[in-house]
Amino acid sequence: MEASDSTIVSTRQAQIAKLGRQLTEQAITSLNHHLDMVWMREAYRRTRKDGAAGVDGQTAESYERDLEGNLGDLLERAKSGRYVAPPVRRAHIPKEGGETRPIGIPTLEDKVLQRAVVMLLEPIWEQRFHGCSYGFRPGRGAHDALEALWRHIMSQGGCWIIDADIRKYFDSVDRGRLQELVRKRVSDGVIGRLIGKWLHAGVMEEGVVSYPEMGTPQGGVISPLLSNIYLDEVLDDWFQKVAQPRLSGRAFLVRYADDFVMGLEWKDEAARMMAVLPKRFERFGLTIHPDKTRLVDFRRPAPAGRAETFEFLGFLHYWGKSPDAKPVVRRKTAKRRLARGLKAISAWCRRNLHRPVADQAQALKLKLRGHYQYYGLTGNRPSLQRFYRGVCARWRYWLNRRSRKRDLPWHRFFHLLAAHPLPEPEVVHSIYRSTAKSLT
């Protein structure tokens, strides 16, 4: 029985990982021989097909009409050096505080080829990356970062938190330094050439192409891995090998992509770390935001006192009481995230005002379940209930706008809700379940 593309690629990735473990002090000079049709077909399978089209307008449907031929041509161009990285189409997504975050939308071929290169590089860098980083890594996610943070603080009984913010990280990455970091581990010419092309590809916005001198395009398949490679050098490795050994008290770092927090036992050492961090980041062309970075007294509060709070990954962290009245770190949806979520629901209801009620209900069910899937942490049920009630209120408001009579009072809406029920708040990520699992 012939092995599937997936099995063949997984076997090769295990071999690449083994090579990465063996060659810790020297670069791997050849990887591109793994790039063949088996690898490209698997890269295509792993590529998301329903995203927005890039500057060429290419869709998965049209690409698949001659998939083997298109992938073969893409492979030949990549290996021969004829591949030209097209400009990424820039779009803007809203951020908290009224700002926007620019993201790049690559072409379908760019996504496939970037996925193929990520599949080559990831097994190597996973041998190097530290356990404190959680963003865009296999088998890790935001909830793992949140749980690690919770356990660190609880085990120390509170600490001094450095709530950090990197100013415009993706726009500030030094491409030359980044390519040097890649070459330290992988000096394959084909791979290095492709990464260079992606880093220097232009950005198309409103029909105009520009070529920024710094930064990496957000939205690219390879961007998260490159981001982790850069911040592993700037922050993670430095913290583990240089900064932490010089501290007398306990300390930890939790990073998810470009968001990170540090926890230190002693105030004086936390203050020194606050002073050192900007200098460390400046060496790599990055800036720690002076106004958005702060030192938080997050020690366990005295009986009559009230500790400070901080936000991380969309949650407000604060001290509360457990069911047996002991101090415990609690998390709830950050106010700005809650408001942003409800604003998006209202906008969706307005855009889909004339769709059948059953269709609207089905879509809102999915949105609510997605919200619970992320924000459904132990202790956060009140925020989930506020979101649920807010969704109901906004749905009723826009259903009322379908008629000039405005004849949908609350009692009639509840009848409608009984016929088309929305999912009630649900705690998906229970600290009690995870604790029990860790003890077994």
Side-chain angles (χ1 to χ4, degrees), residues 76 98 121 162 188 202 297 311 373 437:
E76 192 280 326
L121 298 181
I162 296 177
D188 184 298
D297 183 357
E311 291 183 14
Q373 189 64 38
K437 184 179 178 181

Side-chain angles (χ1 to χ4, degrees), residues 71-93:
L71 290 178
D73 179 62
L74 176 60
L75 177 61
E76 192 280 326
R77 282 182 283 135
K79 288 205 167 188
S80 67
R82 292 192 303 109
Y83 183 78
V84 177
V88 295
R89 184 165 66 85
R90 174 165 285 180
H92 293 267
I93 58 175

Side-chain angles (χ1 to χ4, degrees), residues 351-408:
R351 290 194 306 270
N352 294 272
L353 186 62
H354 301 294
R355 287 177 61 181
V357 169
D359 289 355
Q360 292 186 39
Q362 186 59 34
L364 291 173
K365 284 179 185 178
L366 296 177
K367 293 178 184 298
L368 277 165
R369 289 198 179 104
H371 185 87
Y372 301 156
Q373 189 64 38
Y374 186 79
Y375 291 103
L377 296 186
T378 299
N380 194 34
R381 188 177 290 276
S383 292
L384 300 181
Q385 290 171 334
R386 280 195 290 274
F387 188 77
Y388 172 80
R389 291 194 296 267
V391 169
C392 290
R394 282 152 181 79
W395 191 26
R396 173 184 171 270
Y397 171 83
W398 285 106
L399 286 175
N400 243 332
R401 297 292 295 266
R402 300 209 320 178
S403 169
R404 292 183 179 180
K405 297 179 181 180
R406 310 289 173 88
D407 56 353
L408 190 63

Side-chain angles (χ1 to χ4, degrees), residues 229-405:
I229 290 172
Y230 204 67
L231 283 176
D232 178 78
E233 179 75 15
V234 176
L235 180 62
D236 304 352
D237 199 58
W238 169 79
F239 178 82
Q240 299 282 352
K241 296 179 179 178
V242 179
Q244 195 172 29
R246 297 180 181 178
L247 302 172
S248 61
R250 291 174 292 177
F252 65 83
L253 166 68
V254 176
R255 180 176 67 80
Y256 187 91
D258 60 330
D259 292 330
F260 72 93
V261 292
M262 285 184 182
L264 297 96
E265 186 173 4
W266 306 119
K267 182 180 180 180
D268 60 334
E269 293 186 331
R272 286 203 300 273
M273 185 69 77
M274 280 280 288
V276 169
L277 274 176
K279 298 174 184 177
R280 172 67 184 176
F281 276 69
E282 188 177 356
R283 287 181 56 189
F284 292 83
L286 302 175
T287 303
I288 294 291
H289 202 299
D291 300 323
K292 295 182 180 180
T293 301
R294 61 196 187 102
L295 183 59
V296 179
D297 183 357
F298 205 70
R299 294 172 296 173
R300 185 175 292 170
R306 182 175 180 177
E308 297 181 50
T309 63
F310 69 95
E311 291 183 14
F312 184 59
L313 298 182
F315 288 89
L316 179 76
H317 293 68
Y318 65 101
W319 281 100
K321 292 291 182 70
S322 67
D324 55 359
K326 293 181 179 178
V328 65
V329 176
R330 291 195 172 277
R331 289 81 55 90
K332 63 181 179 181
T333 311
K335 287 183 178 179
R336 288 176 293 181
R337 288 291 186 95
L338 191 65
R340 189 174 74 184
L342 290 175
K343 184 178 180 181
I345 290 290
S346 185
W348 184 90
C349 289
R350 177 176 53 82
R351 290 194 306 270
N352 294 272
L353 186 62
H354 301 294
R355 287 177 61 181
V357 169
D359 289 355
Q360 292 186 39
Q362 186 59 34
L364 291 173
K365 284 179 185 178
L366 296 177
K367 293 178 184 298
L368 277 165
R369 289 198 179 104
H371 185 87
Y372 301 156
Q373 189 64 38
Y374 186 79
Y375 291 103
L377 296 186
T378 299
N380 194 34
R381 188 177 290 276
S383 292
L384 300 181
Q385 290 171 334
R386 280 195 290 274
F387 188 77
Y388 172 80
R389 291 194 296 267
V391 169
C392 290
R394 282 152 181 79
W395 191 26
R396 173 184 171 270
Y397 171 83
W398 285 106
L399 286 175
N400 243 332
R401 297 292 295 266
R402 300 209 320 178
S403 169
R404 292 183 179 180
K405 297 179 181 180

